[in-house]
Amino acid sequence: MLLNYIKIAWKVLLRNPFYTFISLFGISFTLMILLVLSAFLDHLFGSHYPENHRDQSLYVQMTRMQDSSRQSSMTGPATYRFLEKNLSALRTPNTYGIFSMFKGANTYVDGKRIKLSIKYADGGFWEVTDFTFLEGKAFNESNFKNGDLVAVITDKIRDDYFGKGQSVVGKTMLVNGLKYRVMGVVAASPITRPVSYADVFLPFNSPKSEYESPGVNGSYMAIIIPKNKADMPVITKEFEQIVNRMPKPFMENGMKVYHLESRALTYLNNFTNQIFGNDQNEVFFMVVALFMVLFMALPAINLVNLNISRIIERSSEISVRKAFGAPSKTVLWQFVVENVFVTLIGAGIALIFAQIILMVFNRSALIPSSDLTINFTVFGLGILLALIFGLMSGVYPAWRMSKLKPAEALKNS
């Protein structure tokens, strides 16, 4: 029966090419925009290079300190000492890396200024991220112990500073007025992943890293990767308890701190907490879903009108079927299936055009090193959106025609 409905839908599409073009254009354009938007959201929050384990990682990005009345507060990243002391106290097995936010700097080659983004990192940073080393290796405990002035740079800075494609391990480059020996070259990360983004990575104990700063408020963050994903809530709770045990009140930048909050959360939780407040992922997803439904609403309404016109043309067919005993439910089901079938064809076209747009976007370098793609998650979301769109635009016309009385339909046909 389902196959027959699809065959009928295909014949109807071929019967009126102009209507088919209008319908497929509206469907595919709407879904294409939503697919591109979904790919961008997946790029921002999903697991991608070099944070391929983001879905099973915890991030410590913010600390919040308040006075006794909670009227004054300070929010921002932590100091290296604060993170190292509290993360090393975790009892649940894990791997963690500590690193600074990226900071701007300049260097010069033949009088030409090159802007740099610098990040200070410990050895664990290279374990919790998946940077691809094109040449050389990461700095390690020996380099920290000896205070070596070494650096890992991206392929982009290698090309800008030394020349495109040069072998640079062992060469020196000037950063912050000091000569650093290049130990490794990694494929660059896009700036849309600020946690891992930088042009030059230096050891955490390098000059000007401020890793010895006391107190809580600093410029460092951390990624924790548990051995098992099931340990994530355990580590979150354990880290919270460790922070809560810190003696209070204490002085921080002139403020007497009575309340201190620092949490190990997923990347998305960290983001939504800053926008919507604590643990409000549901609000974020509701906002995104509402936007998508509203975006689909207008073309869906237009398609409803088109579908009604199309179905009215088939009123004689419907009336004959109903006159021979076809129940309204069967007619309703037929037109819903037909509309979903047409919508899925539009979704296929949308997927192709969305993929082309993303390829052009990636090559345009509007976001250097970006890698927006339609992966299985985005593809699955696209199919879901197509089904929702098909139902939104098809149920009402189908319901209306299923209620059509045979005598009335024959009279109007």
Side-chain angles (χ1 to χ4, degrees), residues 32-60:
M32 180 189 70
I33 298 296
L34 293 176
L35 280 172
V36 170
L37 176 63
S38 301
F40 190 69
L41 290 175
D42 179 67
H43 169 79
L44 290 179
F45 300 108
S47 298
H48 298 287
Y49 177 85
E51 297 167 60
N52 294 325
H53 304 289
R54 188 178 268 183
D55 60 334
Q56 50 188 316
S57 302
L58 294 169
Y59 291 73
V60 184

Side-chain angles (χ1 to χ4, degrees), residues 104-118 157 160-162 172-180 199-200:
N106 293 316
T107 189
Y108 294 87
V109 176
D110 299 329
K112 178 185 176 184
R113 188 181 71 167
I114 299 176
K115 292 183 178 179
L116 300 176
S117 296
I118 298 173
I157 290 303
D160 291 346
Y161 191 91
F162 294 102
T172 60
M173 68 178 296
L174 201 62
V175 179
N176 281 336
L178 297 172
K179 284 186 176 180
Y180 284 84
D199 298 315
V200 178

Side-chain angles (χ1 to χ4, degrees), residues 277-326:
N278 286 340
D279 303 327
Q280 295 294 324
N281 279 3
E282 297 80 5
V283 176
F284 173 74
F285 288 120
M286 285 176 62
V287 170
V288 173
L290 182 63
F291 173 80
M292 289 187 170
V293 170
L294 290 176
F295 187 80
M296 287 191 293
L298 184 59
I301 291 171
N302 290 329
L303 196 58
V304 164
N305 294 327
L306 279 173
N307 283 336
I308 290 174
S309 302
R310 177 174 65 95
I311 293 174
I312 286 176
E313 291 177 358
R314 300 168 62 187
S315 56
S316 58
E317 170 197 332
I318 297 168
S319 59
V320 170
R321 289 193 61 197
K322 297 196 73 173
F324 280 89

Side-chain angles (χ1 to χ4, degrees), residues 135 158-159 162-168 171 185:
E135 187 183 2
R158 175 199 61 190
D159 295 345
F162 294 102
K164 191 172 180 63
Q166 294 288 315
S167 179
V168 298
K171 295 183 179 179
V185 179

Side-chain angles (χ1 to χ4, degrees), residues 215-254:
V216 176
N217 190 242
S219 61
Y220 281 83
M221 298 181 288
I223 297 177
I224 307 168
I225 296 185
K227 284 190 175 180
N228 301 301
K229 196 172 181 179
D231 290 339
M232 290 173 68
V234 178
I235 292 175
T236 296
K237 187 174 181 180
E238 192 179 339
F239 183 73
E240 198 170 343
Q241 290 172 342
I242 291 171
V243 172
N244 288 338
R245 285 199 295 268
M246 288 182 62
K248 293 178 271 300
F250 61 87
M251 293 300 296
E252 180 79 16
N253 296 331

Side-chain angles (χ1 to χ4, degrees), residues 55-131:
D55 60 334
Q56 50 188 316
S57 302
L58 294 169
Y59 291 73
V60 184
Q61 292 183 264
M62 289 290 164
T63 59
R64 187 181 187 192
M65 291 168 282
Q66 294 178 300
D67 61 8
S68 58
S69 62
R70 295 183 184 271
Q71 297 298 311
S72 299
S73 64
M74 285 189 293
T75 303
T79 59
Y80 179 87
R81 282 186 172 183
F82 172 85
L83 291 172
E84 175 58 27
K85 177 184 175 183
N86 293 307
L87 291 175
S88 61
L90 288 170
R91 295 187 301 275
T92 306
N94 60 77
T95 302
Y96 65 85
I98 303 175
F99 48 89
S100 71
M101 299 172 63
F102 63 82
K103 301 177 179 178
N106 293 316
T107 189
Y108 294 87
V109 176
D110 299 329
K112 178 185 176 184
R113 188 181 71 167
I114 299 176
K115 292 183 178 179
L116 300 176
S117 296
I118 298 173
K119 186 180 288 290
Y120 298 96
D122 67 0
F125 176 75
W126 303 106
E127 297 179 26
V128 298
T129 55
D130 292 313
F131 277 97

